[in-house]
Amino acid sequence: MPRIALITGASSGIGRATAEAFAVAGYDLILCGRREDRLKELVDSVSTRVRAIALAFDVRSRKAMAHALDSLPNQWRAIDILVNNAGNAHGFDAINEGEPDDWDAMMDSNVKGLLYMTRAITPGMIERGRGHIVNLSSIAGKETYANGAVYCASKAAVEALSQGMRLDLTKHGIKVTNIAPGAVETEFSEVRFKGDKDRASKVYEGFEPLRAEDIAKTIVFAVSAPDHVTIADITILASAQAAATTVHRK
């Protein structure tokens, strides 16, 4: 019987690429995100290979998340893999100039949303004695940089939560993998710079950044490891990137 993977933030970027890679690998999919039209289009696309269902909600709302999960038919409730991918970056300001609304958006999505989903899904995994959680962190969770303190803090929290989950859940047969990408060309920078496409495009000038598909392949690799192997933590950088803010550009 095909295993079921639930992916948050599946409507674009790494989440969408992960859904497509999982479909090729034969996983049935619960695709979660805020943009219902994109989710429906993705469901139609991957349904040529596997079963797929869409749940449209914002992970920042615990009530909306609970309502969406409660709507799942019984045959979709035995979730084997949870990919906590939903997240965002807003603003690029010094701490004394940052917008508190931006801080709330990052903490609510990157940290609290991840917690809400994990709390909802893990009891079923524990009951079945198996499962795998993949948390999308960032190189920013390992290295803090100027003008990104709050985003970096949110991803450092993901790093700590991945370690803590592993400590709490390994005894129940649940694996936890932390994935920390470097510069990936997706909607990320455009969202961070609030729609300023020119500024966003400059982030990736002069070098070849990672693509969403690179991260998706790594996630599939991690969840495909043998039962006796846990891929605990992977940092993935573009070949031109040496550290969070050190990129060798042509």
Side-chain angles (χ1 to χ4, degrees):
M1 179 180 294
R3 292 193 290 171
I4 296 174
L6 185 152
I7 303 168
T8 66
S11 60
S12 66
I14 292 171
R16 181 184 177 98
T18 300
E20 292 169 340
F22 271 30
V24 172
Y27 293 89
D28 288 336
L29 298 169
I30 302 172
L31 304 173
C32 306
R34 293 178 292 112
R35 292 172 285 193
E36 189 170 4
D37 56 336
R38 291 196 182 190
L39 290 176
K40 288 181 177 178
E41 185 272 326
L42 180 57
V43 166
D44 290 343
S45 175
V46 299
S47 290
T48 59
R49 293 180 178 271
V50 295
R51 296 185 308 151
I53 190 171
L55 295 179
F57 64 94
D58 190 331
V59 296
R60 294 177 295 180
S61 170
R62 186 164 33 144
K63 183 176 180 180
M65 178 211 67
H67 179 73
L69 293 177
D70 285 345
S71 73
L72 282 172
N74 287 335
Q75 65 267 31
W76 286 97
R77 292 179 179 267
I79 295 165
D80 300 286
I81 299 167
L82 168 62
V83 181
N84 281 314
N85 167 71
N88 55 61
H90 292 288
F92 193 68
D93 302 300
I95 199 72
N96 57 296
E97 298 173 340
E99 293 289 342
D101 287 345
D102 289 344
W103 300 346
D104 288 343
M106 288 185 281
M107 287 298 183
D108 287 349
S109 180
N110 299 356
V111 182
K112 292 166 69 175
L114 179 148
L115 285 170
Y116 296 157
M117 288 302 303
T118 302
R119 179 63 179 85
I121 301 303
T122 48
M125 290 181 171
I126 290 172
E127 183 178 344
R128 293 184 295 276
R130 68 180 188 278
H132 199 144
I133 299 169
V134 179
N135 293 327
L136 269 294
S137 174
S138 168
I139 186 64
K142 301 178 185 292
E143 301 176 35
T144 305
Y145 50 79
N147 299 321
V150 177
Y151 175 71
C152 293
S154 74
K155 290 302 185 177
V158 175
E159 297 272 322
L161 287 169
S162 293
Q163 294 177 33
M165 288 180 195
R166 197 174 303 111
L167 289 167
D168 289 344
L169 299 174
T170 295
K171 63 187 175 186
H172 298 293
I174 300 171
K175 298 182 182 184
V176 180
T177 298
N178 187 80
I179 305 284
V184 185
E185 189 171 11
T186 62
E187 295 179 349
F188 176 87
S189 290
E190 191 173 331
V191 172
R192 164 167 263 179
F193 298 129
K194 304 183 179 181
D196 187 337
K197 294 184 179 181
D198 289 339
R199 189 178 181 190
S201 66
K202 288 180 171 57
V203 173
Y204 308 110
E205 283 185 349
F207 77 106
E208 184 176 359
L210 296 166
R211 293 182 283 273
E213 292 78 12
D214 299 323
I215 311 306
K217 289 177 182 177
T218 304
I219 293 170
V220 172
F221 165 73
V223 302
S224 301
D227 287 344
H228 70 286
V229 175
T230 294
I231 308 297
D233 188 38
I234 303 178
T235 301
I236 312 169
L237 302 177
S239 60
Q241 184 177 18
T245 58
T246 303
V247 178
H248 298 280
R249 303 175 191 268
K250 294 180 182 178

